[in-house]
Amino acid sequence: MTPQPGSAGDVLTLISAGSATTRSDLARLTGLARSTISQRVDALIERGLIEETESGESTGGRPPRQLRLHTEDHAFAGVDLGATHCRVALMDISGNVLAECEDPLLIADGPESVLAHVNQRIDHLLAQAGRPHSALRTIGIGVPGPVEFATGRPNNPPIMPGWNDYPIPEYFEGVDVLVDNDVNVMALGEHRNAFTDIKHLLFVKVGTGIGCGIMADGKLHRGAQGSAGDIGHIRVSGHDDAGCRCGNSACLEAVAGGAAIARRLSELGLPAESGADVVALVQSGNTQALRLVREAGRLIGEVLASLVNFFNPEVIVIGGALSRVHEHLVAGIRETVYRRSLPLATHHLSITPSRTGINAAALGAGILAIEHYLSPENINRIVNA
C-alpha cells in the first residue's frame, strides 16, 4: 500500500498544485490528524511559504480559511542563453512573470562576461518588480549545449568556447542555481504552460542545430548523464558527404538544421548565412528556400518517426528559429511521420508548432527553479532548518 504523504513538503505540494485549499482538505487527502495538519501548516506559514486568508464561502457557520502560496517574498529567475541572445524572466512562486527582458549577447564572449551580464539583468528586474535581492530564491539557466545536470557544468559545447566544465552555479553567491540544456527547459516551459494534461511530449528545437526535450509521464527525462534527446547527431542515410561539427558525417543537423539549409541556399547564390536568413527568404516567398525547408522537415520526420514508434508521445511540439515558418517545416515533418510510424502510435498523435514561442526557454528555466524550490525535500530542509 502506498504510504500517505505527511511531511511539510508533501503538504505544500498539495497546496501549490491546488489540490488542497483548506486544512480540512489536507486532512482528508493525507489522512493525517487535524493536530498534525495544523503543525505542518503553521510551520509553512512561519517560514513565509504559505498564507491563510478568510475568503472561502461558508456552507453554514464560519467561512473556511483558504491556504495559498505566499507570493510576495519569493522571486525566481529563468535565464535563456542562446548563441546570440539572453532572455531573463523574473517570476513569483506561482509561476507568474513579474518582469522580463531580452538583450543581444554572444555566448562566445565566455562565462565570466556572459554571467556578469545575467547577474546585472536579474538585479535590474528585481528592482523593476519592487523585490529586494533577498527575495531571490533560485535561478534556472538554459544553455545551448550539453550539460551535466547534477553539477551544472557544460560538457564540450561546440558553440560555447571557453565554457567546457565551467562551474556555472558557483558564479552566483547566496542562491541555488540549476543549469540545463536549452531544449530541456523549452520542453518544460511548453509542457507546464500549454500542455499540462499531456503526459508524454517531445519538444523538437530546429535552429542552427537540432535537439529534442523529452517529457515522460509529465516529468523531464534527461537520461543517465543528461544527454537524452540529442537527436541532431542521429545519422541520416544518403548524406555521407555532409560533415558535422561533432566530427561525424550525415548527422541530422548537418543536413536539416538552419545552418545547413543556409549553406545550401548560399551555394545557390542566395544571401543566407543563418537560420534567421532562411526564415526571411521563406517569408519573402523564395521558392528555393521553401523547397529546402520542406525537405528538411521530411528528413527530421524520418528521425521522429522512429522516436514515435519507440516512445509513443501524445504530442510533438516544433520550436526554435525555423518554427517561425512552421507551416512549411511541420508539413514536411507530418508527411514523413504519419507515413513511416505505426498506425497505433500515430492514432492520437498531434504535431504542432510551439505555443510559448521565443519565451519557452526562459519560462521553462524559471519553472525549473520554482519546482526545485518547492520540492518536498527542499521544503522539508527549509522547515527543519
Side-chain angles (χ1 to χ4, degrees):
M1 181 177 179
T2 303
Q4 295 292 336
S7 69
D10 295 320
V11 166
L12 185 65
T13 296
L14 292 171
I15 295 171
S16 64
S19 302
T21 58
T22 67
R23 297 185 186 224
S24 296
D25 290 342
L26 291 169
R28 174 174 52 82
L29 290 170
T30 64
L32 297 173
R34 288 182 178 272
S35 59
T36 304
I37 290 296
S38 291
Q39 291 175 355
R40 303 287 189 267
V41 169
D42 291 344
L44 293 170
I45 292 174
E46 183 181 346
R47 296 297 188 278
L49 293 163
I50 64 172
E51 57 187 357
E52 196 170 26
T53 60
E54 292 187 2
S55 58
E57 294 183 3
S58 174
T59 56
R62 185 175 180 178
R65 294 170 63 83
Q66 300 286 294
L67 299 168
R68 68 180 183 91
L69 292 174
H70 184 66
T71 60
E72 286 74 14
D73 296 331
H74 302 82
F76 302 83
V79 181
D80 166 24
L81 292 178
T84 58
H85 73 264
C86 169
R87 296 188 187 96
V88 184
L90 189 71
M91 305 165 74
D92 68 18
I93 200 170
S94 296
N96 301 310
V97 176
L98 302 172
E100 56 190 336
C101 65
E102 177 180 352
D103 303 304
L105 187 70
L106 295 177
I107 198 78
D109 285 345
E112 297 290 336
S113 174
V114 169
L115 296 179
H117 178 87
V118 169
N119 224 356
Q120 291 171 2
R121 300 310 281 161
I122 291 174
D123 286 344
H124 171 76
L125 292 179
L126 284 166
Q128 184 178 328
R131 302 288 173 101
H133 195 275
S134 59
L136 184 64
R137 306 299 179 187
T138 313
I139 301 171
I141 302 177
V143 300
V147 176
E148 186 179 54
F149 181 72
T151 64
R153 295 171 180 254
N155 186 268
N156 293 310
I159 64 169
M160 298 174 64
W163 289 79
N164 184 47
D165 205 37
Y166 185 87
I168 296 175
E170 295 177 16
Y171 182 89
F172 301 87
E173 297 180 357
V175 62
D176 287 341
V177 179
L178 293 90
V179 185
D180 208 340
N181 177 265
D182 57 358
V183 74
N184 282 345
V185 295
M186 285 178 172
L188 186 62
E190 189 79 19
H191 181 268
R192 298 294 192 261
N193 282 280
F195 295 97
T196 54
D197 295 331
I198 297 298
K199 289 187 175 294
H200 304 286
L201 176 148
L202 297 178
F203 186 101
V204 181
K205 176 192 174 187
V206 187
T208 300
I210 299 173
C212 179
I214 305 166
M215 299 298 299
D217 199 22
K219 299 176 182 178
L220 195 56
H221 176 75
R222 298 183 179 88
Q225 302 299 328
S227 64
D230 199 356
I231 66 171
H233 299 287
I234 292 178
R235 183 177 177 81
V236 179
S237 61
H239 296 272
D240 292 347
D241 58 338
C244 182
R245 59 187 177 181
C246 71
N248 292 319
S249 61
C251 293
L252 178 63
E253 74 172 41
V255 296
I261 300 172
R263 184 171 58 252
R264 292 182 64 186
L265 289 171
S266 180
E267 291 169 354
L268 294 171
L270 294 167
E273 296 181 359
S274 66
D277 294 332
V278 174
V279 169
L281 286 168
V282 170
Q283 291 174 337
S284 71
N286 183 277
T287 56
Q288 296 283 21
L290 288 166
R291 177 180 63 81
L292 290 179
V293 166
R294 182 115 184 188
E295 181 182 314
R298 294 190 188 102
L299 292 170
I300 295 168
E302 285 189 20
V303 171
L304 292 182
S306 298
L307 298 185
V308 167
N309 287 335
F310 176 77
F311 181 63
N312 190 202
E314 299 160 82
V315 176
I316 297 176
V317 179
I318 309 299
L322 262 65
S323 69
R324 288 157 55 194
V325 289
H326 59 78
E327 61 270 26
H328 307 286
L329 182 69
V330 173
I333 292 172
R334 286 174 176 154
E335 177 185 331
T336 308
V337 168
Y338 288 120
R339 175 167 52 86
R340 297 288 299 271
S341 299
L342 295 172
L344 181 60
T346 59
H347 187 59
H348 296 293
L349 175 66
S350 172
I351 303 175
T352 182
S354 171
R355 297 179 186 175
T356 54
I358 63 172
N359 297 317
L363 292 175
I367 291 167
L368 180 70
I370 293 169
E371 292 187 353
H372 164 77
Y373 184 78
L374 291 178
S375 66
E377 297 79 11
N378 190 56
I379 294 301
N380 290 337
R381 180 182 61 79
I382 293 171
V383 169
N384 294 328

